[in-house]
Amino acid sequence: MIIKQYFHTPTSTYTYLLADETTHEAMLIDPVNDEVTHYIKALHALELKLIAAVDTHIHADHVTALGLLRKKTGAKTYLGLPHQVSCADAALKDNLIIRLGNSDIKAIHTPGHTEESFCFYIRKDNILFSGDTLLINSTGRTDFQNGDAEQLFDSLHNTLLKLPDETVIYPGHDYHGKKRSTIGNERRENPHLTIKDKAAFKIMMHQRQLPDPKFMHIAVPSNLNCGEKPQQQSKG
């Protein structure tokens, strides 16, 4: 499995290009709209065919490239939950398998950061793309977009921490230059995971008092439309 990690400096977002070395089929996780030219150049340089583009959740800090990538490459797009999605080719659901060459990429529903948060797990390689559900030494916030601290606690302790300690984690963001971790490292060192009581975790998340993402008012409406500007209804 080929894995390329790209960093979007303005939003500290990680995008991942995955590809099968035999079939040359490729997939992008959390692509950013203004980096599409870069992704396409990388696909051409590596002689890859993009067959899928997915978002781990509806982002509030950047505009997704799902719609633009579909137009330029014909890739199948995946996003959100069935009751939310109209722009993508398919809605994500728990245990959905996206086949990429000889690898199965499993979607795992991990609500908490947002209602429709998903992680993607490659069992064969023991790799987890954790979106904003589990970050390195932190977790995603839970104070908007139907976030829920109790659900996040369950997603972490009842789902992600059930994976083997050696599972490699590639997060959706990092603000300190860290590129990857493992389940074992996070279990031991992540201060959000050392809180074992759900009520205490909920209090801690409530006390974070983080500012809203700078481009939230632009990003969320656009991302509900796969990164394209929502069309205004005509007045009649």
Side-chain angles (χ1 to χ4, degrees):
M1 174 71 69
I2 298 170
I3 300 176
K4 298 289 185 182
Q5 185 181 49
Y6 303 111
F7 187 68
H8 184 245
T9 301
T11 60
S12 298
T13 297
Y14 281 126
T15 296
Y16 297 97
L17 173 63
L18 318 182
D20 182 87
E21 295 172 298
T22 302
T23 65
H24 296 268
E25 293 176 333
M27 170 178 168
L28 278 164
I29 298 175
D30 288 338
V32 180
N33 190 275
D34 55 12
E35 296 290 329
V36 166
T37 299
H38 180 61
Y39 304 144
I40 291 177
K41 285 182 178 178
L43 290 165
H44 289 165
L46 296 168
E47 298 181 339
L48 302 175
K49 177 178 174 56
L50 190 69
I51 65 167
V54 305
D55 274 351
T56 54
H57 61 289
I58 296 169
H59 299 282
D61 54 2
H62 69 267
V63 176
T64 181
L66 291 192
L68 189 55
L69 284 167
R70 179 172 55 190
K71 286 181 178 179
K72 289 183 174 293
T73 70
K76 186 173 182 178
T77 55
Y78 298 81
L79 175 67
L81 294 169
H83 71 278
Q84 294 176 317
V85 173
S86 60
C87 63
D89 295 307
L92 292 168
K93 59 182 179 180
D94 195 35
N95 296 319
L96 173 74
I97 298 295
I98 301 173
R99 186 74 178 170
L100 187 68
N102 296 314
S103 297
D104 286 340
I105 301 174
K106 180 181 178 181
I108 304 173
H109 186 209
T110 51
H113 171 58
T114 65
E115 177 187 16
E116 77 296 332
S117 288
F118 281 82
C119 297
F120 296 94
Y121 181 56
I122 307 176
R123 182 176 181 180
K124 180 169 67 72
D125 299 307
N126 210 11
I127 293 172
L128 179 74
F129 298 92
S130 60
D132 287 15
T133 299
L134 177 58
L135 305 175
I136 298 175
N137 291 328
S138 187
T139 63
R141 58 196 295 176
T142 58
D143 56 336
F144 55 72
Q145 290 181 261
N146 294 319
D148 187 300
E150 293 184 354
Q151 285 188 338
L152 180 60
F153 183 92
D154 289 338
S155 292
L156 293 166
H157 290 272
N158 298 336
T159 301
L160 297 188
L161 291 185
K162 300 294 185 182
L163 296 173
D165 275 359
E166 60 271 20
T167 302
V168 177
I169 297 169
Y170 287 100
H173 295 277
D174 192 79
Y175 305 96
H176 307 288
K178 297 177 181 179
K179 294 185 176 181
R180 58 185 176 272
S181 183
T182 65
I183 288 290
N185 285 342
E186 295 309 305
R187 189 192 307 277
R188 293 186 294 269
E189 300 174 11
N190 190 324
H192 289 202
L193 299 185
T194 58
I195 300 173
K196 305 299 183 181
D197 178 74
K198 187 184 293 188
F201 181 82
K202 183 176 180 179
I203 291 171
M204 181 274 293
M205 295 300 289
H206 179 70
Q207 291 176 340
R208 294 180 80 185
Q209 298 295 313
L210 300 171
D212 286 345
K214 185 176 180 181
F215 302 110
M216 182 176 177
H217 64 292
I218 297 172
V220 172
S222 295
N223 291 339
L224 286 167
N225 199 41
C226 292
E228 299 181 313
K229 186 177 180 181
Q231 293 182 353
Q232 296 182 346
Q233 293 182 349
S234 60
K235 297 180 180 180

